[in-house]
Amino acid sequence: LAKTTQPISMDSYEGQEVNITCSHNNIATNDYITWYQQFPSQGPRFIIQGYKTKVTNEVASLFIPADRKSSTLSLPRVSLSDTAVYYCLVGDSFKAAGNKLTFGGGTRVLVKP
Amino acid sequence: DTGVSQNPRHKITKRGQNVTFRCDPISEHNRLYWYRQTLGQGPEFLTYFQNEAQLEKSRLLSDRFSAERPKGSFSTLEIQRTEQGDSAMYLCASSISDRGVNEQFFGPGTRLTVL
């Protein structure tokens, strides 16, 4: 499984855009990039998944350059409720052995008023 | 609420005691996973079921741990002869195997404290 590296923590302010970059230099051809969000005392929650270029949903955007060795999760106009830990995961999404998720340490995002 | 549920939410036990946790997945999900999370770390995979079959177990799952999913619906995770190092949040997740998106739905977890 490809290893991921992401910042340990980031601070932001309400209304700002937060960009979290994840490095995955050893990403394999079949690997997808997935981001999860976790609030204190809750289980992680799926945010977004992508393979290449750009993916956008109602919560976030995911930017993946052509070489796929990194990816950036973009949270537009964050609010206090976006304070959480964000995990970048890389793995084969299709028919992998149980699609088990391999989490790293995540990025703790603190949104300040 | 049709999400993943876990019981109990909190469990305090003394070292050496046995504990059992229950997970009720989303009803149509055929895959069920158990993870363990310690403070400041991301969740670590323990085991997973497809229907009632336990298809993979992590090396983290020592002989004191056993998981079952008897009818392919709810699952239980038992820890025998608990140790202080077992103190953690135990998370359950479920998913549908035929989906291409690697989306697992997590429950709120059971926090275990071993004294």
Side-chain angles (χ1 to χ4, degrees):
Chain A
L1 294 172
K3 181 179 177 180
T4 61
T5 303
Q6 52 184 124
I8 294 175
S9 64
M10 297 179 69
D11 288 359
S12 183
Y13 291 92
E14 282 190 292
Q16 289 189 336
E17 179 181 78
V18 171
N19 296 307
I20 309 171
T21 296
C22 177
S23 297
H24 28 80
N25 291 319
N26 297 323
I27 190 168
T29 302
N30 293 334
D31 286 344
Y32 279 66
I33 300 149
T34 311
W35 286 81
Y36 276 75
Q37 173 193 56
Q38 186 176 27
F39 298 115
S41 299
Q42 294 186 26
R45 182 176 73 108
F46 173 92
I47 300 176
I48 197 166
Q49 181 177 269
Y51 184 81
K52 62 180 180 181
T53 63
K54 176 183 175 181
V55 179
T56 297
N57 62 22
E58 65 277 6
V59 176
S61 294
L62 179 59
F63 298 91
I64 306 167
D67 66 5
R68 305 203 324 123
K69 293 184 182 300
S70 68
S71 59
T72 299
L73 176 72
S74 180
L75 306 172
R77 299 179 299 282
V78 294
S79 64
L80 297 177
S81 63
D82 292 316
T83 293
V85 178
Y86 293 82
Y87 294 98
C88 168
L89 296 85
V90 172
D92 187 346
S93 178
F94 293 90
K95 310 301 182 187
N99 284 7
K100 63 183 178 185
L101 300 177
T102 302
F103 291 84
T107 298
R108 298 180 181 278
V109 172
L110 173 63
V111 180
K112 303 176 182 178
Chain B
D1 189 347
T2 57
V4 177
S5 63
Q6 293 186 246
N7 288 289
R9 294 293 308 278
H10 303 273
K11 179 69 175 179
I12 300 174
T13 191
K14 293 183 179 180
R15 189 176 53 187
Q17 298 295 305
N18 299 343
V19 294
T20 299
F21 310 140
R22 176 176 170 130
C23 171
D24 287 89
I26 295 172
S27 58
E28 66 268 25
H29 287 185
N30 60 342
R31 283 187 170 169
L32 186 147
Y33 307 78
W34 286 98
Y35 293 84
R36 180 174 68 186
Q37 185 173 27
T38 53
L39 197 62
Q41 303 299 315
E44 296 174 294
F45 170 80
L46 292 178
T47 188
Y48 101 95
F49 294 83
Q50 179 148 325
N51 301 312
E52 66 275 10
Q54 187 174 18
L55 298 185
E56 186 172 352
K57 294 194 293 185
S58 163
R59 286 175 294 179
L60 294 174
L61 213 65
S62 75
D63 291 343
R64 297 183 296 105
F65 288 70
S66 62
E68 294 182 343
R69 193 182 183 198
K71 296 183 179 179
S73 56
F74 74 92
S75 175
T76 58
L77 177 68
E78 180 182 17
I79 309 174
Q80 296 181 329
R81 305 181 302 283
T82 53
E83 301 173 356
Q84 288 185 325
D86 296 331
S87 295
M89 175 76 84
Y90 289 84
L91 294 162
C92 175
S94 69
S95 71
I96 298 177
S97 63
D98 60 351
R99 291 195 60 183
V101 175
N102 196 8
E103 180 175 5
Q104 294 182 12
F105 295 80
F106 283 80
T110 294
R111 182 168 296 283
L112 173 65
T113 302
V114 182
L115 303 176

